[in-house]
Amino acid sequence: MKWTLYNLLFAIAYVAMMPKFLVRMARRGGYANRFADRFGRYPRDVLARLGDGRPRVWVHAVSVGEVAVAGQLMAELRRQRPGIAFVLSVTSSTGWAQAQRQVGPEDVLVYGPLDYPGCVRRAVRAIAPLAYVITETELWPNVIRQVAGRGAPTFLVNARISDHSAPGYRRLRCWFGPVLNLLTKIYAQSDLDARRLEDAGCDAGRIAVTGTMKFDVAHRAPGKEAELRDYLAAAGFAPDAPILLGGSTWPGEDAFLLAVYRKALAKNPRLRLVIVPRHFEKAGDVEVAIRTAGFPCLRKSRAPSPERQPQDAVLLADTTGELMGFYGLSQVVFVGKSLFEKGGQNMIEPCLCGCATVVGPHTENFRPVMSDLLAQQAVLQGADLPATEAHLLALLADPDAAAALGARAAAAVERRRGATPRIAAEILRAL
């Protein structure tokens, strides 16, 4: 009765959300690609590959951040057991673009099925997984129940329960507890996440606290750094000019950075600003904000071979796969979705690159990471907008302090690596 009610509510919710999906398709382009995958209906060539007799581990991720974790885990599993193959499923079109770089020639990339019995049955029957690995918090009851029912081991890796979600998991433990206890093992990011999983009804013996795998995911991109260095030089950015970078910014944060830039320019006219928005479809709004603030704007997607820009021009980097390269060239970084939106984007990446990294008050999605970095004085967090601005202006005015903060950040990331190999070894033992 419980799962009949769940399936009924899921169907109603999906129909209600269909207009939102259609709008996403229109805005993001590739979102409509392989839409039938979500109903467990795959193209013939995909079905042929899934039916080639090769056992595959099914790894599921949502979007870009989770796909990076999944890719790192897959690479480590391959290293420890050469020849292992995967089905990687994603939820978003941005996740798909990232996932295409993570799969090997023997792997299969699909969109994850809707958590409705018919869709899940078709997907599980086609994939016939050797094991099922979920990244972070994608708990779909029907998928877990059907995979576990086939006798395949199931794992939740890099598990976290956000501050926002924790009360709901606790209230609905009668639903989540039975699902969590079907999992072979859960690898939690922190003791707090482990306690919240127990509060949601999970047996403590199924949970291991390993730390976050995201410390293993970040890698510098020297080739991209060299490519972008040449691009900046062609645009008139002096090689020794300090760069303030806004990484994965959300609406409102661009105006905040432009105000900081204006104040910092008064003391250091050589400073340059680069903004990398989280959603490129909103780059037009960012360009308007830059020009409204009175600065020339170089939009990278429209200037692959740039001309020399005015001294105070702002680079709007609305191109895919270049954020790590920009981090490697920047001195001071503000990490987005931390000022007005709740959650925060990945602050590990700029820290790894030795950037002096500043975040706003909202970093709930990276709670264990922030605890580690703050304890090691490796990042600065503003309690509100004025405090965040003060941190940025102080670092831009004191290059030695910025360099020292960046050095502590890089060392802190290196000390926290290693969760992924341990988790991979345990998964292989279970297989």
Side-chain angles (χ1 to χ4, degrees):
M1 180 63 183
K2 176 168 62 177
W3 297 115
T4 300
L5 178 60
Y6 167 80
N7 292 329
L8 177 62
L9 293 174
F10 183 91
I12 293 171
Y14 186 76
V15 170
M17 292 177 66
M18 183 59 75
K20 180 179 179 181
F21 295 146
L22 295 175
V23 170
R24 281 186 184 177
M25 289 180 202
R27 286 181 178 174
R28 295 189 178 181
Y31 196 85
N33 176 50
R34 298 273 296 271
F35 194 72
D37 282 19
R38 296 163 175 84
F39 301 92
R41 301 187 183 279
Y42 305 116
R44 286 185 179 179
D45 61 319
V46 173
L47 286 173
R49 296 188 64 205
L50 290 173
D52 63 6
R54 179 194 292 268
R56 291 181 171 88
V57 174
W58 182 2
V59 182
H60 180 67
V62 185
S63 193
V64 175
E66 295 82 4
V67 169
V69 170
Q72 187 70 21
L73 178 62
M74 289 160 56
E76 182 59 31
L77 288 167
R78 283 195 186 96
R79 189 189 70 79
Q80 295 188 26
R81 182 175 293 183
I84 193 170
F86 303 93
V87 171
L88 176 58
S89 63
V90 299
T91 300
S92 71
S93 56
T94 51
W96 181 279
Q98 171 80 1
Q100 288 178 309
R101 297 191 286 269
Q102 305 288 356
V103 294
E106 70 280 6
D107 302 328
V108 180
L109 176 59
V110 298
Y111 278 104
L114 297 173
D115 199 48
Y116 197 72
C119 305
V120 172
R121 274 195 300 271
R122 284 190 291 270
V124 173
R125 187 165 56 243
I127 295 171
L130 180 65
Y132 182 51
V133 181
I134 313 159
T135 58
E136 301 210 357
T137 54
E138 275 288 280
L139 296 172
W140 293 111
N142 282 320
V143 178
I144 294 171
R145 291 170 67 226
Q146 290 204 28
V147 173
R150 294 174 60 96
T154 55
F155 306 92
L156 177 60
V157 303
N158 217 42
R160 65 179 179 88
I161 304 294
S162 70
D163 298 343
H164 175 73
S165 300
Y169 276 94
R170 187 169 56 251
R171 284 195 304 270
L172 299 174
R173 59 181 289 136
C174 63
W175 294 81
F176 287 109
V179 174
L180 290 167
N181 287 318
L182 288 174
L183 296 168
T184 306
K185 197 73 176 180
I186 300 175
Y187 301 100
Q189 294 189 25
S190 70
D191 292 326
L192 178 58
D193 292 306
R195 288 196 298 274
R196 287 176 171 176
L197 285 162
E198 290 181 48
D199 290 343
C202 185
D203 295 337
R206 295 183 185 273
I207 306 169
V209 178
T210 58
T212 178
M213 296 167 66
K214 290 188 174 180
F215 281 116
D216 297 323
V217 171
H219 298 281
R220 292 195 67 156
K224 179 59 68 174
E225 290 175 22
E227 176 187 324
L228 293 175
R229 189 177 290 110
D230 292 341
Y231 183 91
L232 293 174
F237 284 49
D240 57 346
I243 293 176
L244 167 62
L245 174 69
S248 295
T249 57
W250 282 60
E253 293 174 337
D254 310 299
F256 162 75
L257 283 170
L258 289 164
V260 171
Y261 183 48
R262 183 181 304 282
K263 293 178 181 179
L265 272 177
K267 295 185 177 180
N268 185 358
R270 300 178 67 256
L271 178 68
R272 309 304 295 262
L273 174 62
V274 178
I275 296 178
V276 185
R278 177 67 178 88
H279 298 295
F280 295 154
E281 64 266 26
K282 297 180 180 178
D285 296 336
V286 180
E287 181 177 4
V288 169
I290 293 170
R291 297 192 184 282
T292 300
F295 296 110
C297 178
L298 171 60
R299 189 165 172 177
K300 193 171 186 299
S301 65
R302 297 179 179 175
S305 301
E307 297 179 355
R308 191 174 184 85
Q309 300 295 307
Q311 178 69 26
D312 60 348
V314 176
L315 173 58
L316 172 54
D318 56 338
T319 44
T320 302
E322 298 191 317
L323 183 55
M324 279 302 293
F326 278 115
Y327 281 146
L329 302 179
S330 303
Q331 285 69 49
V332 178
V333 168
F334 167 77
V335 179
K337 202 184 178 182
S338 65
L339 198 57
F340 305 117
E341 295 283 342
K342 291 187 177 181
Q345 296 294 339
N346 192 340
M347 67 287 299
I348 297 172
E349 294 172 343
C351 287
L352 172 71
C353 294
C355 304
T357 302
V358 177
V359 298
H362 302 296
T363 56
E364 295 85 352
N365 290 346
F366 290 84
R367 187 190 336 97
V369 172
M370 282 299 296
S371 296
D372 280 342
L373 295 176
L374 288 170
Q376 298 176 77
Q377 298 182 308
V379 68
L380 294 179
Q381 182 171 27
D384 50 25
L385 187 150
T388 307
E389 178 184 277
H391 283 317
L392 288 169
L393 291 174
L395 290 169
L396 291 169
D398 189 344
D400 291 339
L405 177 61
R408 292 196 299 274
V413 172
E414 288 299 327
R415 283 195 291 270
R416 288 296 184 271
R417 291 184 183 270
T420 305
R422 296 194 299 274
I423 293 170
E426 289 204 19
I427 290 174
L428 291 175
R429 281 195 293 272
L431 296 184

